């Protein structure tokens, strides 16, 4: 029986994780769970799974939740310290790090430092503090399993007994991208994109922020950076391939000409279950892939002129230091501005580029360097957006 701490329980990853826990009550028990302000959704989780501890993003949300869960033997808590505490709780064996954005970094590190198996669905942790993050994983001898479907696929396509070794045998990592809802749109058509259109991903059901990132290909840019840290490579070792069907989740090309791919229907329960049970596998109730029904798989190169965020991510990697944290921060601000209709869809990449190219990039020696660069980039982005100077 594995005790699970679910950071970000009310999001799409959290809900899929709960589905796996519900399907296998003999293997998993929910020990801790967190959400920001989604009180009603969390109340349902509390009544269904009865975790020992629940953390909300504010005192008000905590109090509202407690009123909806009177009589349940649950400790209702709130705030950053409580979030770190549930991730490092002695009853927890695995931490599902599914808090989206920069906010997920600190509690994920708390779980790692407590020696918990870490299931990483928060790409921003690696993007903003990659070296520090991976150093902590090595220092505490933690099993780190990527949950993003693409990185999970790469992990499965590498030799498991020598994972991370024999890099000389690998020719290229092929990171697939669906292309998002605007894959075939011209720049002129993309000028008037609305938040509602950008949130309609053709294959995946995701939250607003990650849906916008997918539409702008920033999500793939962040995944490229994440893959560099996870698999100890550079952007030169990774080729992004647009694959609109989202059936091949990623591939590894070897020097002998072999290409090993992981395929499956687009459902996050597959990589989540793999992470929770690795090196074994369990039933997920996801329908098996029928290649006869799929019939045709398409692949193409991404168009950087229409989706410049992908190149910005590679640029940030090579700039090093706080550049990746800066890019992540400005993008979060720009996406929020687009969702609030303060800027246009194509302006997201313009704001990202202006901040990245004008920011003061410094080495990352401590987490404070990351936090300071994050705040600095957010303020710079907000100023640029308020002035319309992009």
């Amino acid at each position: 029986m594995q005790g699970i701490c679910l950071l970000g329980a009310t999001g799409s990853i959290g809900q899929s994780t709960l589905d796996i826990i519900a399907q296998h009550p003999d293997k998993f028990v929910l020990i801790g769970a967190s959400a920001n302000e989604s009180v009603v959704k969390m109340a349902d989780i509390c009544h269904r799974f009865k975790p020992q501890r629940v953390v909300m993003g504010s005192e008000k949300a905590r109090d509202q939740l407690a009123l909806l869960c009177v009589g349940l033997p649950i400790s209702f808590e709130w705030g950053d310290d409580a979030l770190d505490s549930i991730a490092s709780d002695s009853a927890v064996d695995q931490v599902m790090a599914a808090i989206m954005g920069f906010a997920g970094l600190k509690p994920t590190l708390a779980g790692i430092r407590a020696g918990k198996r870490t299931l990483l669905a928060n790409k921003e942790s690696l993007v903003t503090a990659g070296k520090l993050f991976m150093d902590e994983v090595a220092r505490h001898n933690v099993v780190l399993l990527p949950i993003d479907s693409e990185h999970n696929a790469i992990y499965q396509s590498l030799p498991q007994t020598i994972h991370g070794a024999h890099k000389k045998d690998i020719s290229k990592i092929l990171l697939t991208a669906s292309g998002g809802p605007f894959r075939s749109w011209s720049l002129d058509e993309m000028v008037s994109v609305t938040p509602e259109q950008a949130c309609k991903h053709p294959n995946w059901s995701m939250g607003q922020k990650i849906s916008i990132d997918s539409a702008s290909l920033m999500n793939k840019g962040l995944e490229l950076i994440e893959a560099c840290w996870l698999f100890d490579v550079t952007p030169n070792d990774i080729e992004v391939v647009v694959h609109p069907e989202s059936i091949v989740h990623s591939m590894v090309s070897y020097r002998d000409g072999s290409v090993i791919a992981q395929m499956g229907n687009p459902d996050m329960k597959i990589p989540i279950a793999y992470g929770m049970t690795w090196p074994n596998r369990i039933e997920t109730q996801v329908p098996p892939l029928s290649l006869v029904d799929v019939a045709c798989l398409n692949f193409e190169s991404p168009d950087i002129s229409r989706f410049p965020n992908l190149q910005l991510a590679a640029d940030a990697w090579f700039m090093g230091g706080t550049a990746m944290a800066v890019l992540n921060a400005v993008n979060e601000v720009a996406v929020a501005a687009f969702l609030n209709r303060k800027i246009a869809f194509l302006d997201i990449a313009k704001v990202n580029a202006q901040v990245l190219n004008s920011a003061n990039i410094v080495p990352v020696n401590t987490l404070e360097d990351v936090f300071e660069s994050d705040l600095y980039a957010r303020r710079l982005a907000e100023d640029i957006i308020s002035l319309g100077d992009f």
Side-chain angles (χ1 to χ4, degrees):
M1 180 69 74
Q2 292 283 294
I4 307 296
C5 173
L6 180 49
L7 301 175
T10 58
S12 59
I13 297 294
Q15 293 298 297
S16 292
T17 303
L18 291 170
D19 286 345
I20 297 297
I21 294 173
Q23 288 177 40
H24 300 279
D26 59 321
K27 291 182 171 61
F28 307 110
V29 59
L30 186 64
I31 300 295
S34 80
N36 189 23
E37 301 290 334
S38 300
V39 173
V40 174
K41 284 186 177 180
M42 183 57 88
D44 177 64
I45 293 170
C46 289
H47 283 280
R48 288 174 57 208
F49 293 91
K50 298 178 178 59
Q52 296 175 14
R53 302 173 65 186
V54 171
V55 176
M56 300 300 290
S58 69
E59 187 174 12
K60 179 181 177 182
R62 187 275 310 270
D63 293 345
Q64 290 174 338
L65 177 65
L67 286 174
L68 294 176
C69 300
V70 172
L72 293 179
I74 297 172
S75 172
F76 297 101
E77 306 166 43
W78 73 279
D80 292 343
D81 290 343
L83 209 55
D84 294 353
S85 179
I86 64 167
S88 56
D89 192 297
S90 60
V92 168
D93 300 294
Q94 302 183 19
V95 174
M96 173 61 76
I99 296 176
M100 293 298 103
F102 185 69
L105 173 59
K106 195 165 170 285
T108 304
L109 281 174
I112 288 171
R113 288 165 178 158
K116 312 301 183 184
R117 174 185 286 210
T118 302
L119 313 178
L120 189 65
N122 169 280
K123 60 178 61 62
E124 289 83 0
S125 293
L126 277 177
V127 169
T128 59
K131 185 178 186 305
L132 294 176
F133 190 95
M134 295 306 291
D135 284 349
E136 290 295 287
V137 169
R139 184 174 297 115
H140 297 281
N141 196 28
V142 165
V143 173
L144 176 68
L145 290 155
I147 299 303
D148 269 353
S149 61
E150 295 84 357
H151 302 95
N152 192 274
I154 295 166
Y155 191 94
Q156 293 190 51
S157 299
L158 290 169
Q160 294 300 300
T161 55
I162 53 168
H163 189 68
H166 294 207
K167 283 201 302 179
K168 69 180 188 303
D169 293 334
I170 297 171
S171 171
K172 204 75 135 176
I173 288 175
L174 304 172
L175 184 67
T176 60
S178 69
F182 311 128
R183 178 179 60 87
S184 60
W185 289 36
S186 68
L187 277 172
D188 288 341
E189 290 173 316
M190 292 164 69
V191 166
S192 57
V193 161
T194 67
E196 291 78 14
Q197 289 173 315
C199 284
K200 289 182 179 177
H201 194 280
N203 300 329
W204 298 94
S205 174
M206 305 181 293
Q208 280 190 323
K209 198 270 180 181
I210 193 171
S211 294
I212 302 301
D213 283 349
S214 179
S216 72
L217 283 198
M218 177 52 83
N219 192 49
K220 204 52 51 179
L222 298 179
E223 288 178 4
L224 181 144
I225 294 172
E226 186 182 6
C228 288
W229 290 118
L230 283 169
F231 305 112
D232 192 22
V233 295
T234 78
N236 291 336
D237 302 309
I238 301 172
E239 179 181 351
V240 175
V241 180
V242 175
H243 169 50
E245 292 84 7
S246 296
I247 295 297
V248 176
H249 298 297
S250 275
M251 299 166 274
V252 176
S253 176
Y254 289 87
R255 65 186 299 187
D256 64 358
S258 300
V259 176
I260 298 178
Q262 189 268 330
M263 305 169 67
N265 286 316
D267 192 311
M268 285 305 299
K269 287 193 286 290
I270 295 175
I272 287 169
Y274 182 78
M276 292 171 74
T277 60
W278 178 87
N280 304 309
R281 297 178 188 264
I282 55 173
E283 173 62 48
T284 63
Q285 297 183 7
V286 176
L289 176 66
S290 170
L291 289 175
V292 173
D293 291 341
V294 172
C296 184
L297 300 175
N298 295 280
F299 302 91
E300 60 193 58
S301 296
D303 184 349
I304 301 300
S305 66
R306 288 185 295 131
F307 301 100
N309 278 329
L310 191 56
Q311 184 61 53
L312 287 177
D315 292 344
W317 167 269
F318 286 115
M319 290 168 71
T322 55
M324 290 164 279
V326 165
L327 181 61
N328 179 74
V330 60
N331 183 67
E332 288 191 10
V333 173
V335 168
F338 169 66
L339 286 168
N340 291 320
R341 292 176 165 80
K342 293 180 180 179
I343 64 173
F345 178 74
L346 293 178
D347 291 337
I348 295 174
K350 294 177 183 177
V351 173
N352 290 345
Q354 182 153 338
V355 172
L356 179 64
N357 292 325
S358 61
N360 181 31
I361 306 301
V362 299
V364 175
N365 296 312
T366 68
L367 276 181
E368 280 305 309
D369 297 326
V370 178
F371 294 141
E372 288 175 9
S373 68
D374 177 86
L375 290 172
Y376 161 75
R378 289 175 191 276
R379 286 195 293 265
L380 185 55
E382 287 165 357
D383 288 346
I384 287 172
I385 290 170
S386 65
L387 293 172
D389 186 20
F390 46 84

